[in-house]
Amino acid sequence: MSSLKPAAPYPWPEGKTSAFCFSVDVDAHSPWMWNNRNDPPALLSHLEQRHFGPRVGLARLARLLESVGVKGSFFVPGAVAEAHPWMLPELLEAGHEVGLHGYFHELVQQVSDAEFSRMLEASIALFEKQIGKKPAGFRSPAWEMTPHMVAEVKRHGFYDSSLMGFETPYCVDGLTEVPVNWATDDAIFFKFLGGPGMDSWPPVGTDAVLSAWQEELTASRTFGTLFMLTVHDWISGRGARTQMLEKLLESVLSDSGIWVATVGEVAAHYEAVTPGRDAVSPEIPETLFNHPAWKGA
């Protein structure tokens, strides 16, 4: 039960006082496939912007990580791995972690429980075909989960990295959760596809984003939490943004108190050292119209 008393500091390994993960959601063209599943338009602009990821951006991010000696966690939709069969094997060969991220980047609110389970099974089968094993982790497209998804992801033995109920690892109905953070996701700052009525906005300059993320890094060190950086192949693979990430990584690596780890390593540490810490239930509250205060009962 929570209270006003401060929680005990999270026990990061090797005497470290905070943690940092570099994660990449390799969406590429998969959200386009999902959003246009009923009537694909004969238009190239949005597709070409997203194809930039596998063509250029992903390799650029990988070279950056190699240059500073950091291993990343790459969450790849099945459709992207299917279209680029080199991707999963080469990421693993480079020492990175790969994880599940839906099949077509299908949005939770737009699929049934049965459809989610079927897409999850298809993703697992594709990963097993391409790399010979199941991955360790799952991240939901658009970072949404349902109680059914929690149960299914747990049944398959994965950890999850889609929710943000704590700033350190926790568990949801026994499912290990490595939390994310919208404030350290590149899409909310840089996503811009163009065209009227599109779900995009004018991108922010890299100086402003770097400053915001440096503030997040300072807070993470102060409070002993996890800094989960999430970038996208087609967004942060652009030149100036990759250079900005290099500056951020310089700040991270200059502090010996920060544990730099993959998301899977954070999940494994939680399960080995603090299993069950900050356990929560995935229950959804009933409609307020059934509440006695509303009914006047």
Side-chain angles (χ1 to χ4, degrees), residues 139-207:
R139 176 173 284 171
S140 173
W143 294 354
E144 184 57 275
M145 294 286 281
T146 68
H148 172 78
M149 293 171 66
V150 168
E152 284 289 274
V153 172
K154 181 175 69 172
R155 180 173 71 86
H156 283 286
F158 300 120
Y159 72 80
D160 180 61
S161 182
S162 311
L163 301 174
M164 51 195 86
F166 286 88
E167 295 173 314
T168 52
Y170 65 110
C171 70
V172 182
D173 196 27
L175 172 65
T176 296
E177 183 67 43
V178 184
V180 291
N181 183 359
W182 282 119
T184 52
D185 177 281
D186 65 347
I188 68 169
F189 299 104
F190 296 132
K191 182 180 178 183
F192 184 79
L193 288 161
M198 292 296 104
D199 179 23
S200 58
W201 40 87
V204 177
T206 54
D207 286 348

Side-chain angles (χ1 to χ4, degrees), residues 242-262:
T242 305
Q243 290 178 324
M244 177 203 68
L245 291 174
E246 184 175 12
K247 295 174 184 176
L248 178 67
L249 287 170
E250 288 174 358
S251 296
V252 172
L253 296 172
S254 69
D255 188 336
S256 61
I258 300 175
W259 181 40
V260 180
T262 65

Side-chain angles (χ1 to χ4, degrees), residues 25-26 34 41 72 76 98-99 119 146 186 189 199 208 219 235 250-251 253 269-270 277 291:
D25 289 357
V26 192
W34 180 255
V76 185
V98 295
M119 292 298 94
T146 68
D186 65 347
F189 299 104
D199 179 23
I235 296 177
E250 288 174 358
S251 296
L253 296 172
H269 175 74
Y270 173 85
R277 175 172 167 145
H291 194 283

Side-chain angles (χ1 to χ4, degrees), residues 20-27 58 61-62 65 70-77 88 91-92 94-101 127 135-139 143 159-161 178 180 226-233 260-268:
F20 173 88
C21 292
F22 191 109
S23 69
V24 184
D25 289 357
V26 192
D27 293 351
L58 189 63
L61 292 172
L65 293 178
V70 169
K71 302 304 182 185
S73 298
F74 292 74
F75 296 92
V76 185
L88 297 181
L91 285 170
L92 286 181
H96 301 298
E97 174 190 18
V98 295
L100 302 171
H101 194 44
F127 272 61
F138 173 85
R139 176 173 284 171
W143 294 354
Y159 72 80
D160 180 61
S161 182
V178 184
V180 291
L226 169 66
F227 186 120
M228 176 66 73
L229 179 68
T230 303
V231 300
H232 295 75
D233 57 320
V260 180
T262 65
V263 183
E265 288 170 339
V266 174

Side-chain angles (χ1 to χ4, degrees), residues 32-40 110:
W32 186 96
M33 295 180 70
W34 180 255
N35 292 333
N36 296 289
R37 61 195 180 280
N38 295 321
D39 187 20
Q110 298 170 357

